[in-house]
Amino acid sequence: GRASIPLENLLDGPVPDDVFMVHAVEPVEGVVLTGFSAEVVTHYSDVVRKAFDGKTTVPVGCVDGTYGYLPTDKMVREGGYEARRFFGHFGLDGCSFKPDLERKIDDVLGRITESFDTNR
């Protein structure tokens, strides 16, 4: 499965015309490899595990055109490198994260899990 969301749905500011991608493949029954086009924080391991309930999951970051970090909503509120200070290092000066980041990632994962269910 593969799903995306425009970066402009995740970021405010001068955002490039690009997408955040999530990939998932089940090479053997019960094991799902997921790829994110960002450096994801550990929290998203739990999000992936929940989305693919009952399966062994292996989340992998920095796949398919990495734009930077994917923090949690709490991290965005608190600030720090993964939530704010990395933008300039990735050519995203003037950008910031929009609210409800985790819900948006859940939605993208939901589209992939739906495709897994319909392809069986």
Side-chain angles (χ1 to χ4, degrees), residues 14 18 23 38-39 44 49-50 65 83-84 89 91 93 107 118:
D18 207 349
H23 304 266
E39 176 68 37
Y44 289 99
R49 200 172 297 115
K50 181 180 173 189
R84 290 194 188 126
H89 299 292
D93 290 313
D107 291 348
T118 59

Side-chain angles (χ1 to χ4, degrees), residues 2-46:
R2 182 176 176 179
S4 67
I5 183 172
L7 277 184
E8 66 185 16
N9 290 7
L10 302 178
L11 303 174
D12 272 325
V15 180
D17 184 25
D18 207 349
V19 294
F20 171 78
M21 293 296 304
V22 179
H23 304 266
V25 62
E26 190 171 10
V28 296
E29 184 71 31
V31 177
V32 178
L33 307 174
T34 56
F36 294 87
S37 62
E39 176 68 37
V40 294
V41 297
T42 304
H43 166 80
Y44 289 99
S45 293
D46 294 334

Side-chain angles (χ1 to χ4, degrees), residues 46-120:
D46 294 334
V47 172
V48 169
R49 200 172 297 115
K50 181 180 173 189
F52 293 97
D53 186 38
K55 298 180 186 289
T56 299
T57 57
V58 182
V60 179
C62 300
V63 173
D64 199 17
T66 300
Y67 75 88
Y69 288 87
L70 182 64
T72 64
D73 293 318
K74 180 180 177 188
M75 291 171 76
V76 171
R77 287 189 301 275
E78 293 173 348
Y81 184 79
E82 291 90 352
R84 290 194 188 126
R85 294 194 313 261
F86 79 89
F87 286 115
H89 299 292
F90 284 83
L92 297 170
D93 290 313
C95 287
S96 61
F97 284 104
K98 289 184 175 182
D100 296 324
L101 196 54
E102 293 174 58
R103 180 192 54 77
K104 293 171 185 174
I105 302 308
D106 279 339
D107 291 348
V108 173
L109 281 167
R111 287 186 295 177
I112 293 174
T113 58
E114 286 174 12
S115 74
F116 267 54
D117 293 340
T118 59
N119 289 327
R120 298 223 179 259

